[in-house]
């Protein structure tokens, strides 16, 4: 059984112009990035276009990825987030002309709700969920997000820190359980 | 230690991951992570947690997105945006370009026709001016010939050529002379007919008589006793060559 290529292997191949490597990366990461983009723009058609744009940019900028500075997914997430925010800053051509700030009027009447949260995040308190959702899935800055939640910036930062700590504990517990099962099976 | 404290207090690791930092802060955090093993471990853990959370909240996109991405990368010159308003905009732009091109061509054709018409109009106007002038001259001469005070004189060939004919119309009242030289025989190019008025035995030139014209206006000589036609070198002569007298008539 052949070993699956690591992200670093794939990025090396990508930097050398191997399109197949990009398609493997797409299969691996497109759902996670699409989850972010769709929650950000809340329009399925636009989100699909932006996902395509994100992978084109990953393809074009593969040589800039520096593995010493972080994971591939973090790098790709930043690309997708910036493409999403840029698209939200521009009015949709031929459809709407009203002045849209990045985070105003996000709730489109035609939106289908694909955006409910899952996993460990769903187990958090509503204000913790909201804090993580705003900064991670909706592209808000901390400054924008604390205004959106109508709490002081310091309080908002505490929410994020607490939420991350709880997530860490949740994932740590899961890891411990998995480790224990593996030990028993061994 | 101060750097680490600031990073924790301000949540700079989270902001760095979320790409929220200014250029200076980004460099600051990157350096701190590179220099501090503990901080690096925290960042690795944070990345892992965020990534896990993203995967828990993943949404599978429609398979056609991958197909379109593949098409786009295989045909890099062709930008593929499906079902987006850009297609409509591109179509409208193309239609607008075609319409503009057709309109421009028609405008050019119209402009060329207009220029041609303008040229023809100018040419016709010029011809009309010439015709009016000709008509005016002919009319004046006709009026002169038909005037009751005009006296016609027939100048018959008498010396050199018996068949030569010319008719002179003299109006003493208006002091005008018009001659029809069409009946005079053609001369070589180096010769011309010239008419003279005889005043007390002195011959005074009245002008040349080109035979290709119907009527020639000549100078009226007061108190002329006779009209004389001679053959002279081309361009005329100061004194008549009497040996080449064609015709004369006494008035």
């Amino acid at each position: 059984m052949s070993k699956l290529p690591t992200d670093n292997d794939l990025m090396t191949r990508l930097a050398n112009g191997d399109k197949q490597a990009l398609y493997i990366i797409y299969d691996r990461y497109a759902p996670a990035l699409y989850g972010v983009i769709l929650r950000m723009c809340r329009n399925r058609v636009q989100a699909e276009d932006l996902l395509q744009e994100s992978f084109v940019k990953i393809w074009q900028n593969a040589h800039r990825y520096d593995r010493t500075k972080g994971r591939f997914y973090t790098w790709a997430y930043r690309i997708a987030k910036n493409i999403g925010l840029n698209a939200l800053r521009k009015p949709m051509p031929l459809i709407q002309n009203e002045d849209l700030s990045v985070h105003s009027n996000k709730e489109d009447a035609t939106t289908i709700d694909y955006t409910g949260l899952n996993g460990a995040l769903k187990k958090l308190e509503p204000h913790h969920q909201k804090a993580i959702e705003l900064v991670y899935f909706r592209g808000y800055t901390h400054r924008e997000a604390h205004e959106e939640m109508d709490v002081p910036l310091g309080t908002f930062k505490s929410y994020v820190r607490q939420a991350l700590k709880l997530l860490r504990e949740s994932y740590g517990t899961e890891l411990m359980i998995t480790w224990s099962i593996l030990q028993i099976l061994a | 230690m101060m750097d680490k404290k600031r990073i924790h207090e301000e949540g700079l690791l989270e902001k760095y991951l979320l790409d929220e930092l200014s250029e200076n802060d980004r460099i600051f955090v990157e350096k701190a992570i590179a220099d501090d093993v503990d901080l690096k471990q925290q960042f690795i853990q944070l990345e892992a947690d965020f990534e896990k959370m993203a995967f828990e909240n993943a949404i599978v996109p429609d398979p056609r997105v991958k197909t379109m991405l593949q098409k786009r990368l295989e045909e890099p010159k062709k930008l593929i945006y499906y079902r987006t308003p850009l297609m409509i905009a591109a179509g409208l732009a193309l239609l607008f370009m075609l319409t503009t091109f057709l309109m421009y061509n028609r405008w050019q054709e119209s402009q060329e026709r207009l220029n041609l018409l303008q040229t023809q109009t100018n040419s016709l106007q010029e011809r009309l001016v010439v015709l009016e002038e000709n008509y005016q001259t002919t009319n004046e001469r006709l009026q002169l010939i038909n005037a009751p005070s005009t006296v016609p004189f027939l100048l018959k060939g008498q010396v050199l050529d018996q068949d030569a004919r010319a008719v002179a119309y003299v109006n003493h009242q208006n002091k005008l002379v018009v001659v029809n030289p069409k009946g005079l025989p053609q001369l070589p190019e180096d010769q011309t007919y010239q008419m003279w008025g005889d005043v007390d035995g002195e011959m005074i030139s009245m002008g040349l008589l080109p035979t290709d014209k119907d009527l020639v206006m000549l100078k009226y000589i007061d108190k002329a006793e006779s009209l004389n036609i001679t053959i002279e070198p081309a361009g005329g002569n100061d004194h008549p060559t009497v040996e080449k007298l064609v015709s004369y008539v006494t008035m």
Side-chain angles (χ1 to χ4, degrees):
Chain A
M1 196 173 147
S2 63
K3 193 182 164 189
L4 286 174
T6 65
D7 289 350
N8 285 339
D9 293 339
L10 290 170
M11 284 310 288
T12 305
R13 284 168 56 186
L14 204 60
N16 291 324
D18 182 351
K19 290 192 185 98
Q20 291 309 316
L22 181 75
Y23 303 145
I24 297 171
I25 286 177
Y26 179 92
D27 292 338
R28 198 173 282 181
Y29 289 105
L33 292 174
Y34 186 58
V36 173
I37 295 169
L38 184 58
R39 286 180 176 90
M40 196 181 287
C41 71
R42 307 205 154 202
N43 178 304
R44 193 172 56 82
V45 174
Q46 190 185 17
E48 287 175 351
D49 278 345
L50 298 178
L51 181 66
Q52 190 193 133
E53 284 299 326
S54 300
F55 275 91
V56 169
K57 197 153 188 180
I58 287 168
W59 166 249
Q60 291 168 341
N61 292 282
H63 60 284
R64 292 187 180 167
Y65 169 64
D66 181 353
R67 68 187 64 176
T68 64
K69 289 185 180 174
R71 288 176 173 238
F72 164 77
Y73 179 75
T74 305
W75 181 72
Y77 163 81
R78 288 170 183 156
I79 288 175
K81 179 183 163 184
N82 286 325
I83 284 177
L85 288 176
N86 285 338
L88 289 174
R89 285 191 182 103
K90 293 176 193 166
M92 286 280 281
L94 303 179
I95 289 180
Q96 59 186 32
N97 294 313
E98 65 266 40
D99 182 24
L100 296 178
S101 60
V102 176
H103 295 300
S104 64
N105 197 24
K106 281 197 163 187
E107 309 298 334
D108 192 324
T110 60
T111 299
I112 303 165
D113 187 16
Y114 299 98
T115 56
L117 296 169
N118 298 308
L121 196 56
K122 205 174 177 181
K123 297 173 193 164
L124 301 184
E125 293 290 325
H127 62 284
H128 288 149
Q129 277 189 40
K130 184 79 178 173
I132 295 294
E133 185 194 356
L134 288 177
V135 294
Y136 193 82
F137 290 105
R138 303 283 297 277
Y140 282 65
T141 63
H142 278 53
R143 201 161 286 281
E144 289 167 339
H146 90 83
E147 286 172 4
E148 175 71 18
M149 286 188 73
D150 199 19
V151 294
L153 181 59
T155 307
F156 180 77
K157 282 182 180 175
S158 299
Y159 285 176
V160 172
R161 209 167 300 148
Q162 289 162 6
L164 287 173
K165 193 179 172 202
L166 292 167
L167 280 175
R168 175 90 293 278
E169 286 169 7
S170 176
Y171 294 144
T173 308
E174 283 177 22
L175 197 66
M176 281 296 290
I177 293 167
T178 309
W179 185 81
S180 303
I181 292 169
L182 286 172
Q183 287 294 311
I184 292 163
L185 289 173
Chain B
M1 280 303 282
M2 284 298 289
D3 289 351
K4 207 169 172 179
K5 191 180 174 195
R6 185 190 156 207
I7 286 170
H8 283 143
E9 281 179 356
E10 295 183 20
L12 294 185
L13 276 188
E14 294 84 3
K15 286 187 175 182
Y16 173 65
L17 188 146
L18 295 166
D19 202 20
E20 267 189 48
L21 294 180
S22 65
E23 183 69 8
N24 286 342
D25 282 347
R26 187 180 61 75
I27 293 167
F28 164 72
V29 172
E30 280 180 355
K31 188 172 182 310
I33 291 172
D35 293 346
D36 189 312
V37 178
D38 185 39
L39 212 53
K40 187 174 179 69
Q41 194 53 44
Q42 286 177 36
F43 181 67
I44 289 169
Q45 195 61 64
L46 187 65
E47 276 191 296
D49 289 346
F50 267 129
E51 186 171 327
K52 191 167 175 56
M53 181 181 69
F55 272 84
E56 283 176 346
N57 288 279
I59 299 169
V60 177
D62 194 300
R64 71 172 171 267
V65 181
K66 187 179 176 185
T67 308
M68 300 307 282
L69 175 70
Q70 285 171 323
K71 274 190 187 174
R72 188 165 165 186
L73 293 182
E74 301 305 327
E75 302 169 50
K77 288 180 182 172
K78 192 176 171 188
L79 287 176
I80 299 168
Y81 292 99
Y82 55 92
R83 293 189 297 144
T84 64
L86 285 176
M87 292 293 282
I88 301 166
L92 287 174
L94 186 65
L95 190 66
F96 178 71
M97 278 173 65
L98 284 172
T99 311
T100 306
F101 179 70
L102 288 173
M103 293 291 282
Y104 177 77
N105 274 353
R106 291 192 67 178
W107 175 68
Q108 285 288 304
E109 283 173 15
S110 301
Q111 193 67 27
E112 282 170 15
R113 282 186 189 176
L114 195 63
N115 289 341
L116 185 65
L117 280 172
Q118 190 65 43
T119 309
Q120 287 178 342
T121 306
N122 290 342
S123 172
L124 284 171
Q125 278 181 337
E126 285 167 9
R127 287 175 64 187
L128 186 64
V129 169
V130 172
L131 283 171
E132 278 182 347
E133 284 174 358
N134 287 345
Y135 169 74
Q136 195 72 22
T137 307
T138 306
N139 197 36
E140 281 173 5
R141 288 174 184 174
L142 190 64
Q143 281 183 0
L144 174 69
I145 291 167
N146 290 333
S149 53
T150 299
V151 183
F153 295 97
L154 179 64
L155 287 100
K156 290 182 184 174
Q158 292 165 355
V159 183
L160 292 174
D161 188 341
Q162 299 287 325
D163 295 329
R165 293 284 185 280
V167 183
Y169 301 92
V170 181
N171 189 311
H172 293 290
Q173 195 176 333
N174 295 328
K175 299 186 184 298
L176 292 169
V177 178
V178 175
V179 178
N180 181 349
K182 292 295 276 186
L184 296 172
Q186 288 286 328
L187 291 174
E189 283 189 4
D190 59 343
Q191 292 182 333
T192 183
Y193 292 106
Q194 189 166 0
M195 183 169 266
W196 308 86
D198 177 7
V199 182
D200 294 334
E202 188 182 351
M203 298 288 247
I204 299 169
S205 177
M206 295 171 69
L208 304 180
L209 285 175
T211 53
D212 58 342
K213 292 191 175 175
D214 290 335
L215 289 170
V216 182
M217 185 79 81
L218 294 180
K219 189 166 75 176
Y220 176 82
I221 305 295
D222 208 11
K223 295 178 183 174
E225 293 163 2
S226 68
L227 299 175
N228 305 271
I229 298 172
T230 59
I231 296 173
E232 303 293 344
N237 209 343
D238 293 338
H239 300 285
T241 308
V242 290
E243 298 83 32
K244 293 197 174 177
L245 182 67
V246 176
S247 175
Y248 69 92
V249 65
T250 306
M251 293 173 71

